[in-house]
Amino acid sequence: MLPVLYRLESAWQPDGGPFGRFTFSLFNLSGGPLSAFRLVYTSLTRVIEGAACENAVFLRRNANFHEFAPPEGLTLAHGEHWTFTVNGLHREAKHCTDGAKSAYLTLADGSHVPVAVSDLRLEGAVSELPPVRLPKGRLELPFALQPWPAEIDAAPGEAVPDVLYPAAESNADEVDAVSNVLALFHRLFSAGHAPFSLAPSPQGLPIVFKKKAELEGEAYRLAFSDREIRLDYGAAAGRQYALTTLAQLIDGARNHGGDFRFPASGEIPDRPRYGWRGCHLDVSRQFYPTADIVRLIDILAWFKLNIFHWHLTDDEAWRLEIKAYPTLTTLGVMRGPDEPMLPQLGNGAEPVGGFYSHADVKAIVAHAAALSIEVVPEIDIPGHSTAALVALPELSDGQEAPESYHSVQGYPNNALNPAIPLTYEFLEKVFDEMVELFPSRYIHVGGDEVADGSWLASPLARKLMEQEGISGTFALQSYFLKKVKQMLTARGRKLVGWNEVAHGGGVGTEGTLLMAWENPKVGIELAREGYDVVMTPGQAYYLDMAQADAWQEPGASWAGTATPASADERANAASDVLKETFMALLLSVSTSASKRGGCNHQQRASRQMLPVHNSFRVQGFLARDRYVFTFARSAVMPTAVQ
C-alpha cells in the first residue's frame, strides 16, 4: 500500500455566504517541503464565485473540477498545513459526501501527485448519525422469492429436494434452459449448492415442462407435489423465470431453513405486472469493464428484470466505438490532468479512459439476450455532448463565444449545434453502426438538461431560427429531435428520451417513449399527452440518493431524500435475508469501482457499486392511459419492478 503523502481535510459551515462555506486544509505528510504547487479537487458542490475565497487564488473550474493556488511564496514544511475558505458555492452541502471526492497536486515541474480526501465535516450545526436503514422484513409465506409472484397458493414443506432435474421427456431446449439457469446460479453464487442437475437423482424431483399457448411470453405456472414439479410456460422468457423461481426457492430453503421452506404442494402462477422492468447504468461518468457489465446483467436476470438501459455517452466520455469516427474513443474518453478532458468527479492524478469495442458490445448484447434481457443503448444528445465536441471540434460553431452558456452541471457549450449540417451527417453514421450492434427496438437519445440559452450566441443557430421561425432554445431542440426521430424511424427504431424531449413542442407521440426522471407528476402528465412513459423519478429510483436527511447519511440529494421506511411501506414484503442477498450481489459487481470517487460506507450497497452521481436507476413501465404507480425504492432490492 502506498503511503499518503498529502491529505485534504474539508468542512462546511452554514454561515459565510448564501449557501455556506467550505474550509479546506491541505496537510503535507511527504517528509519534505512543499511549495510552488496548485491544488485540484472535484466536488458536486461547485464554486460559482471564484473571488469569494480567502487565503487562496481561484484559478479555474470546469463542471466538478476546481483548481486553486496558495498565496505566493507559501512553503509547507513536513507536518504543516495550509487552510483556505471558499464561500461562493452554488448550493448548500447537506451530507458528508458533498465535499471533495478526489484531489491531486500539480507541482512546479508539471508532475501530478495524488491527495487523499476525507468525508466532509459539518461545523456550526449538529452532525447527525444516519438512522436505521430498513425496517424488519416480513413475509406471510416462508418462501425465498424475489420479486414476489403475482399469485401464490402453496403450502410449505419440511423436506428440501437435493436437486431438481428435467424429466425424461424434456426436449433439448428445455434441458438447455435448465443448464443456462444453473450456469447463472453458479456465476452469482460460486460456492453455492447447485439447485439443478441435468441427470436424474433419486433424492431429487423431476421438472415436467409444458408449453402452454394461453400463457403470455413472460408468464409461467408451477405446480408442486411430492412426485414432480410441473412447469408450464408461454415462451423462453417465462420458462427462464420459472426456473429462476425454483432456484431461489431451493437455495433459500437449503441455506436459511429457519426462515424459508420449499413448497410441498400448491401452485405459483406468475406473470410480470409491467412489460418494462429496467435498470439504467451510466458508464460515461464511471467506466465499468465488460466483465462488470456482464455481472450486472446476471444480477438483473436473477431478479427477472428484462431491460438493460446502457448510458454510453455524456459530457465525461463517449464510450461506444464508432468506426467512422475513431477520435470519439481516443480523444473522447481520456480524462486527466494532461488529457484532452479535465478530471471530473472522483478522478485524480492518474488519467482514466475506457470504451466498448464492437466486439465487446456484441458479446454483452448476446449475453443479455440469452437471459431474456433487451439492451437499450443511449447516446445523450443534443446536450451532454462535451466529449463528442472535444473529439470532433468541427461540430462546433467557431463563431460562438466559448462560454456563452453552461449546463446545470457546469459544462460550457456542451450541446450539439442543430444548425451545423455535419451534426446530422455525424448522427446518421453513428445510428448506422448502432443498429448493427443493438437489435433492440429502441435507441435512447437523451434529450435532457439542455441549458436554456443554448445556441443563442451561435450565428449559425440564429440564422436557422430566423429561417424556420423558431423562437428560443427549446423550440430549436424540438426541431433537432424531430430530425433525429426521422433518422431512427428510417432505420426501424423507436426514439426513447428523457422527459425534456417534450419541451419546445416535443416530437410526435406515436413511436416515442419518454422516461420521467424529474418527478412522478411529469410522467403522469406526459402519459396524458399520449406518450408511452417509463417512470424513473430521481426521488424514488436513483440508488445513489441519500436515504435520510442526516449529515452522516452518504449519498447525493439533488433529487430529494427517499427514506427506506417510506419505501418499505410501498414495496412488496421481503425478509432481511433476501435484502442481504441482493446487497451482496451488488457489492460483488465491482470492488474497484467502490474505491474510486465513491462512498466508503459499506452499509450502502448501491452506492458502493455505483459511486458516481446519476449512475444507476431502477425503471418501471407506465403505459399510456394506465395510471398505475405502485413502485417503491429500495437501495438493496428493487422488488417493485415485477
Side-chain angles (χ1 to χ4, degrees):
M1 184 176 68
L2 295 176
V4 173
L5 302 181
Y6 308 97
R7 179 173 291 279
L8 184 66
E9 297 286 353
S10 58
W12 180 81
Q13 299 89 7
D15 60 347
F19 299 111
R21 59 189 168 97
F22 278 148
T23 298
F24 292 103
S25 296
L26 174 68
F27 287 79
N28 178 12
L29 310 173
S30 67
L34 174 65
S35 62
F37 63 90
R38 302 192 306 275
L39 169 69
V40 168
Y41 72 82
T42 69
S43 175
L44 278 175
T45 309
R46 296 185 291 275
V47 176
I48 57 174
E49 296 180 26
C53 63
E54 296 180 7
N55 203 34
V57 178
F58 179 77
L59 299 177
R60 56 177 172 159
R61 178 180 72 84
N62 179 272
N64 303 303
F65 170 98
H66 302 75
E67 187 173 32
F68 292 84
E72 187 174 354
L74 177 72
T75 297
L76 295 179
H78 174 71
E80 292 184 340
H81 66 274
W82 160 51
T83 296
F84 66 99
T85 62
V86 182
N87 60 17
L89 307 179
H90 86 294
R91 66 173 178 87
E92 291 184 346
K94 295 183 177 180
H95 298 279
C96 61
T97 47
D98 283 343
K101 288 287 190 180
S102 59
Y104 66 88
L105 296 178
T106 298
L107 303 180
D109 62 0
S111 63
H112 312 285
V113 294
V115 174
V117 299
S118 301
D119 281 353
L120 182 66
R121 293 174 289 108
L122 175 63
E123 296 181 354
V126 177
S127 177
E128 297 176 330
L129 290 169
V132 175
R133 286 187 297 117
L134 290 169
K136 183 175 175 58
R138 57 190 183 279
L139 281 172
E140 295 180 1
L141 293 171
F143 299 128
L145 291 172
Q146 276 288 17
W148 198 252
E151 301 175 50
I152 183 166
D153 183 15
E158 294 301 321
V160 180
D162 182 52
V163 290
L164 309 176
Y165 58 90
E169 63 270 22
S170 302
N171 63 39
D173 287 344
E174 291 161 349
V175 174
D176 283 346
V178 175
S179 179
N180 288 341
V181 175
L182 178 58
L184 171 66
F185 177 87
H186 280 313
R187 290 195 300 270
L188 293 175
F189 310 100
S190 57
H193 186 153
F196 301 121
S197 169
L198 300 189
S201 168
Q203 299 183 66
L205 286 175
I207 305 170
V208 179
F209 292 92
K210 186 70 173 178
K211 188 172 183 178
K212 296 283 189 177
E214 68 270 19
L215 291 177
E216 296 181 357
E218 294 188 303
Y220 66 88
R221 182 169 52 245
L222 294 169
F224 299 87
S225 72
D226 58 0
R227 301 182 309 279
E228 64 185 21
I229 296 172
R230 295 199 319 272
L231 191 161
D232 299 339
Y233 62 95
R239 181 177 59 203
Q240 173 192 314
Y241 297 155
L243 290 168
T244 304
T245 290
L246 290 174
Q248 290 178 350
L249 285 167
I250 197 170
D251 185 64
R254 177 181 289 144
N255 293 311
H256 305 284
D259 297 299
F260 301 121
R261 300 285 188 272
F262 192 82
S265 61
E267 291 191 347
I268 299 179
D270 195 14
R271 60 197 178 279
R273 286 187 291 170
Y274 302 98
W276 183 295
R277 306 180 306 283
C279 166
H280 165 283
L281 180 65
D282 183 338
V283 297
S284 173
R285 294 175 168 109
Q286 176 92 18
F287 180 73
Y288 292 88
T290 297
D292 285 358
I293 303 296
V294 169
R295 174 79 175 177
L296 176 60
I297 288 171
D298 283 346
I299 294 171
L300 304 187
W302 184 251
F303 292 100
K304 306 185 180 81
L305 275 69
N306 67 347
I307 299 289
F308 174 50
H309 173 181
W310 200 4
H311 187 115
L312 289 159
T313 77
D314 215 292
D315 290 304
E316 287 81 355
W318 181 290
R319 304 292 189 188
L320 175 64
E321 179 188 24
I322 301 296
K323 292 185 176 181
Y325 297 101
T327 57
L328 287 171
T329 46
T330 55
L331 301 178
V333 299
M334 294 305 300
R335 297 201 305 265
D338 301 314
E339 299 299 333
M341 294 183 292
L342 291 170
Q344 292 297 338
L345 194 66
N347 304 144
E350 294 297 319
V352 294
F355 68 94
Y356 304 98
S357 68
H358 280 207
D360 293 332
V361 171
K362 290 176 181 177
I364 288 167
V365 168
H367 182 78
L371 294 170
S372 305
I373 292 173
E374 180 177 354
V375 179
V376 176
E378 179 183 355
I379 59 164
D380 204 342
I381 56 174
H384 289 279
S385 293
T386 296
L389 294 169
V390 167
L392 299 167
E394 59 269 30
L395 295 178
S396 300
D397 181 353
Q399 301 177 75
E400 185 177 22
E403 297 206 17
S404 58
Y405 63 89
H406 290 81
S407 72
V408 67
Q409 288 85 14
Y411 288 94
N413 294 27
N414 73 330
L416 296 179
N417 195 316
I420 296 177
L422 188 60
T423 296
Y424 303 102
E425 179 184 334
F426 163 68
L427 291 174
E428 294 270 10
K429 292 180 180 179
V430 168
F431 291 143
D432 282 343
E433 296 193 30
M434 290 182 73
V435 297
E436 292 298 317
L437 294 171
F438 298 98
S440 172
R441 303 156 287 171
Y442 303 104
I443 290 181
H444 199 303
V445 298
D448 62 316
E449 295 184 323
V450 172
D452 194 3
S454 297
W455 310 306
L456 299 186
S458 162
L460 293 176
R462 299 293 297 185
K463 181 178 179 181
L464 175 64
M465 294 168 71
E466 183 178 349
Q467 290 173 345
E468 299 291 335
I470 295 171
S471 176
T473 292
F474 300 122
L476 186 54
Q477 172 182 293
S478 174
Y479 169 90
F480 169 83
L481 290 173
K482 286 173 181 174
K483 286 185 171 293
V484 168
K485 183 172 181 179
Q486 290 172 357
M487 296 180 198
L488 295 179
T489 301
R491 290 163 174 77
R493 298 297 191 269
K494 295 183 177 181
L495 182 148
V496 187
W498 301 110
N499 53 253
E500 295 98 320
V501 167
H503 289 178
V507 299
T509 60
E510 188 64 32
T512 300
L513 175 65
L514 299 186
M515 294 188 170
W517 68 273
E518 291 185 282
N519 57 64
K521 181 181 178 182
V522 167
I524 292 172
E525 289 174 351
L526 290 172
R528 287 174 176 155
E529 291 175 17
Y531 290 103
D532 283 343
V533 178
V534 170
M535 301 296 282
T536 178
Q539 299 82 0
Y541 298 158
Y542 283 51
L543 298 186
D544 57 349
M545 288 299 106
Q547 297 180 11
D549 293 329
W551 180 266
Q552 295 180 43
E553 174 70 22
S557 58
W558 55 264
T561 300
T563 66
S566 62
D568 190 71
E569 291 170 1
R570 299 188 304 269
N572 288 335
S575 78
D576 293 330
V577 173
L578 293 177
K579 296 170 188 173
E580 291 165 3
T581 299
F582 190 69
M583 181 188 296
L585 289 174
L586 289 180
L587 282 169
S588 68
V589 171
S590 176
T591 55
S592 61
S594 70
K595 298 173 183 176
R596 297 193 302 269
C599 169
N600 295 321
H601 300 259
Q602 291 190 356
Q603 73 269 30
R604 294 296 183 267
S606 59
R607 284 185 289 279
Q608 279 280 4
M609 171 183 147
L610 303 146
V612 178
H613 151 70
N614 200 30
S615 59
F616 190 67
R617 320 175 195 202
V618 175
Q619 303 168 339
F621 186 63
L622 176 66
R624 184 186 306 156
D625 299 327
R626 185 157 53 87
Y627 308 121
V628 180
F629 187 60
T630 57
F631 297 93
R633 174 186 187 276
S634 172
V636 293
M637 54 164 194
T639 59
V641 281
Q642 292 183 353

